[in-house]
Amino acid sequence: DGGITQSPKYLFRKEGQNVTLSCEQNLNHDAMYWYRQDPGQGLRLIYYSQIVNDFQKGDIAEGYSVSREKKESFPLTVTSAQKNPTAFYLCASSTEAGRYNEQFFGPGTRLTVL
Amino acid sequence: GNSVTQMEGPVTLSEEAFLTINCTYTATGYPSLFWYVQYPGEGLQLLLKATKADDKGSNKGFEATYRKETTSFHLEKGSVQVSDSAVYFCALSDPNAGKSTFGDGTTLTVKP
């Protein structure tokens, strides 16, 4: 079955540590996205990538980094510079960025900073 | 820039009641419009979409019509069920922007 996988589902880290969230898709989609969702809040775009080896900052990129070395993978690193990293992180993909296509979402990773 | 404004929640209804969740948008181009649904602890799933003015998207008893003249895409369902309890997001996809814009979400609770 085609889809998007995110791992792990729950992640705990100590303050001051970097952590990398995994996102893999086998839908052959060109575009991939990372969102942050806080309790009772909407989605805020962190980074997005329209093609391999290229990505753009979203609305809240500070304290985060990404890479897009392969079409199917778009890992997100939450660095120690992110002041309030505890949140639910969602990865998504679409056939083309910004075209008339829906986004397909992964199940999310809940990050808790202890 | 683009923006999506949704009716504030939470919304609480009894089973079999009529549902409307309002959504209006601002966009510079000609966007596609979407409704997504999120169940607790999960990612978002596409519920329905419309790609041009006057299109009606429908799925699982939910409907929404793309109204360009009022820049709206209100979600409706004639008779809600307990299983419809979730958070609903209105969104637009604008090819000129290269990304999508989401509303803040509306939480729906349906009581038996």
Side-chain angles (χ1 to χ4, degrees):
Chain A
D1 287 338
I4 299 180
T5 56
Q6 290 185 245
S7 61
K9 189 169 180 62
Y10 299 95
L11 187 57
F12 299 88
R13 79 153 213 219
K14 293 183 179 179
E15 205 168 329
Q17 290 181 337
N18 292 355
V19 62
T20 298
L21 281 59
S22 168
C23 178
E24 303 277 333
Q25 55 99 357
N26 61 3
L27 299 167
N28 199 33
H29 285 172
D30 289 315
M32 297 187 74
Y33 312 82
W34 273 106
Y35 296 93
R36 170 180 171 140
Q37 187 177 30
D38 292 286
Q41 303 295 312
L43 303 179
R44 291 187 289 171
L45 182 64
I46 304 172
Y47 270 97
Y48 63 107
S49 169
Q50 300 184 10
I51 56 172
V52 175
N53 293 322
D54 187 46
F55 48 83
Q56 290 79 40
K57 292 181 179 179
D59 302 317
I60 57 164
E62 185 176 351
Y64 300 96
S65 66
V66 293
S67 63
R68 186 84 187 278
E69 297 176 1
K70 298 186 297 182
K71 187 175 185 178
E72 59 270 23
S73 179
F74 192 41
L76 173 74
T77 297
V78 184
T79 75
S80 56
Q82 169 50 234
K83 297 188 186 309
N84 186 19
T86 294
F88 189 51
Y89 290 87
L90 287 163
C91 180
S93 70
S94 66
T95 54
E96 294 178 66
R99 298 299 298 176
Y100 303 107
N101 301 305
E102 65 266 30
Q103 293 188 10
F104 293 76
F105 284 82
T109 292
R110 188 167 299 280
L111 173 64
T112 303
V113 175
L114 304 173
Chain B
N2 297 330
S3 66
V4 175
T5 302
Q6 280 184 238
M7 167 177 156
E8 286 190 22
V11 174
T12 302
L13 296 173
S14 297
E15 206 165 21
E16 299 184 2
F18 184 85
L19 169 71
T20 300
I21 300 178
N22 291 337
C23 171
T24 57
Y25 68 91
T26 302
T28 54
Y30 298 93
S32 291
L33 300 175
F34 306 88
W35 276 101
Y36 290 86
V37 59
Q38 183 181 33
Y39 298 101
E42 298 182 6
L44 280 67
Q45 306 170 28
L46 178 70
L47 181 59
L48 53 84
K49 70 177 182 180
T51 58
K52 61 183 187 297
D54 299 326
D55 268 2
K56 177 187 280 188
S58 61
N59 186 28
K60 300 180 182 178
F62 291 90
E63 292 183 341
T65 301
Y66 190 146
R67 301 286 189 198
K68 188 178 177 187
E69 63 276 13
T70 55
T71 62
S72 65
F73 193 54
H74 304 320
L75 182 68
E76 297 183 336
K77 186 176 186 183
S79 176
V80 293
Q81 305 300 312
V82 172
S83 57
D84 294 327
S85 298
V87 182
Y88 292 82
F89 290 91
C90 185
L92 68 83
S93 174
D94 181 351
N96 295 321
K99 56 185 178 178
S100 294
T101 302
F102 289 81
D104 288 340
T106 301
T107 300
L108 170 67
T109 301
V110 180
K111 296 188 173 180

